[in-house]
Amino acid sequence: MLSRVAGSLFWMARYSERTAANTHIIHTQFAQMLEESGLDTTYLEDWKVILNICGSSKEFFDTYDKLSVRNLSHYLLYSKENFNSLIHTISSIRENARMTRDIIPHALWEEWNELYLSLKDDPQSPIFSLLEINRFLEKINHTSLTSTGIINTLMSRDEGYHFLKIGRWIERAEKTMIILNELLQKKEHEIRKCTATYSLQLTQTLEDFSKKHRICNTDSVLNYLIKDTTCTHSLSYCIQHMKQSISVLEQNNNNCRLSPLLQELQAIQQAISSVDIATMSIEQQKICIGSFLTHCIMLGSVFSKVYYLDESFPTYEFQ
């Protein structure tokens, strides 16, 4: 497969996963506001966390004069200057899908193209409305879920499929570590919600965790999101499935050019096996998650270099 085509599939998958994750995170925050008072000021500390997970605080304050839900909504959903805004990531998905239309199922192209055109032809209302934003996010979420089903149901398990899967696992592992890193970095009084429960809500794993564990605290949640091999958003699960797809791509041949990638994967798996969250202090846990996040960011870069793919912009800035 041409590296240009592989790169488009890889980044289509990364943007798709980023879009789905950010949509869920933002929707979770807005849903909380709709269920309660809907007042800006009550939620601004929570929004600071969301801003760092889905965007960049520095970039935001360089553009907007104050932190408000209206400004945050524009930045995270509609801003063309924010490369991680939903409008921008959807446009990137559509462009990469266009470049690989002869590889992906036609239904997948149609799904993202239809969403892109509907958003392009539906200008943002000048009147700020939580209900309107909620409908906007639900439309994106529906497309994300439908697209996942199309890939799993209609796509052949060939090279293209595995480049899509690897892109998803790298992006998902990185996002999980970003969420944990941000929440651990905040002092307890800065976040109204319990850090452990909030982490599960933002990673869409609260229901699965509740079925497996009776006690929900920081230690149990960190251990779950790092080590649980059956949790589809855990670091361990993502790395394991990435290795499986690489093995299929290379047909189990140990090509020497893969050495940097395999070494990075091995380093992450060894770190996962040796980590003991229960014996760590809060500061040690912060260092541990920060280290895993650095590995995840490096993993995406190494994979791109090994397979001669174009590298995109940074997805996260350490605060």
Side-chain angles (χ1 to χ4, degrees):
M1 176 177 288
L2 294 174
S3 61
R4 176 184 58 81
V5 176
S8 292
L9 291 168
F10 175 75
W11 282 109
M12 178 186 174
R14 291 205 63 167
Y15 285 126
S16 297
E17 181 65 25
R18 193 177 307 171
T19 299
N22 288 355
T23 298
H24 170 76
I25 291 167
I26 297 167
H27 189 268
T28 298
Q29 185 65 18
F30 275 120
Q32 192 74 15
M33 293 180 66
L34 285 171
E35 290 172 3
E36 298 183 21
S37 66
L39 298 175
D40 289 18
T41 54
T42 309
Y43 298 90
L44 287 183
E45 293 303 328
D46 293 349
W47 275 111
K48 289 178 183 177
V49 178
I50 303 300
L51 175 58
N52 286 328
I53 291 172
C54 300
S56 164
S57 290
K58 182 181 183 303
E59 184 179 71
F60 176 85
F61 287 110
D62 284 345
T63 307
Y64 301 88
D65 57 352
K66 68 174 183 177
L67 185 72
S68 68
V69 174
R70 180 187 294 271
N71 287 343
L72 283 161
S73 299
H74 182 268
Y75 173 72
L76 294 173
L77 275 65
Y78 306 110
S79 174
K80 294 181 180 178
E81 285 71 38
N82 172 18
F83 289 125
N84 285 311
S85 72
L86 295 180
I87 287 292
H88 195 284
T89 57
I90 290 168
S91 176
S92 297
I93 295 167
R94 190 251 190 183
E95 179 60 20
N96 283 290
R98 185 186 64 81
M99 295 174 67
T100 56
R101 287 183 65 177
D102 58 336
I103 302 293
I104 63 175
H106 180 69
L108 184 59
W109 156 254
E110 288 291 334
E111 196 68 32
W112 284 112
N113 187 52
E114 182 179 336
L115 176 64
Y116 170 81
L117 294 176
S118 71
L119 297 180
K120 183 180 179 182
D121 296 336
D122 184 19
Q124 179 192 358
S125 170
I127 301 174
F128 179 76
S129 167
L130 290 178
L131 290 175
E132 181 181 317
I133 289 175
N134 190 56
R135 286 193 292 269
F136 174 83
L137 294 172
E138 287 180 347
K139 181 188 293 187
I140 297 173
N141 185 57
H142 175 78
T143 298
S144 295
L145 292 173
T146 302
S147 298
T148 299
I150 291 170
I151 292 171
N152 291 336
T153 305
L154 300 180
M155 198 161 181
S156 298
R157 272 40 178 177
D158 54 11
E159 287 181 322
Y161 174 84
H162 288 287
F163 273 108
L164 281 174
K165 286 299 182 181
I166 290 169
R168 168 188 279 186
W169 301 133
I170 290 178
E171 185 69 30
R172 185 173 293 183
E174 186 176 314
K175 181 65 78 174
T176 297
M177 293 302 106
I178 287 173
I179 290 170
L180 294 179
N181 185 67
E182 279 301 320
L183 292 177
L184 284 177
Q185 294 300 327
K186 299 299 179 183
K187 296 178 181 178
E188 190 171 328
H189 71 270
E190 292 182 312
I191 303 176
R192 295 182 305 111
K193 303 177 181 69
C194 168
T195 298
T197 303
Y198 201 26
S199 300
L200 295 172
Q201 288 176 330
L202 297 186
T203 54
Q204 307 182 65
T205 54
L206 180 58
E207 182 178 357
D208 183 62
F209 179 89
S210 300
K211 292 175 181 178
K212 299 174 180 176
H213 304 275
R214 292 185 178 181
I215 298 175
C216 181
N217 56 35
T218 302
D219 288 358
S220 61
V221 169
L222 287 177
N223 196 63
Y224 168 76
L225 289 175
I226 293 172
K227 290 194 165 193
D228 193 313
T229 57
T230 63
C231 168
T232 57
H233 284 74
S234 77
L235 179 59
S236 179
Y237 183 95
C238 293
I239 297 302
Q240 176 184 334
H241 281 72
M242 184 180 171
K243 286 188 71 173
Q244 290 175 0
S245 284
I246 291 172
S247 178
V248 173
L249 285 177
E250 298 298 326
Q251 299 180 348
N252 295 313
N253 294 324
N254 290 323
N255 194 314
C256 61
R257 70 180 174 81
L258 293 177
S259 294
L261 178 59
L262 297 178
Q263 288 171 6
E264 190 64 34
L265 288 167
Q266 185 67 20
I268 296 175
Q269 288 192 310
Q270 287 178 349
I272 292 172
S273 299
S274 62
V275 70
D276 187 357
I277 294 295
T279 63
M280 293 182 176
S281 65
I282 294 296
E283 290 304 316
Q284 288 173 326
Q285 289 176 352
K286 291 178 182 179
I287 293 171
C288 174
I289 296 302
S291 176
F292 278 129
L293 176 53
T294 300
H295 275 297
C296 289
I297 294 172
M298 181 63 68
L299 185 59
S301 178
V302 172
F303 182 84
S304 294
K305 289 177 182 177
V306 166
Y307 284 95
Y308 308 105
L309 312 180
D310 291 333
E311 289 198 62
S312 189
F313 49 84
T315 61
Y316 180 75
E317 295 176 358
F318 283 97
Q319 307 300 316

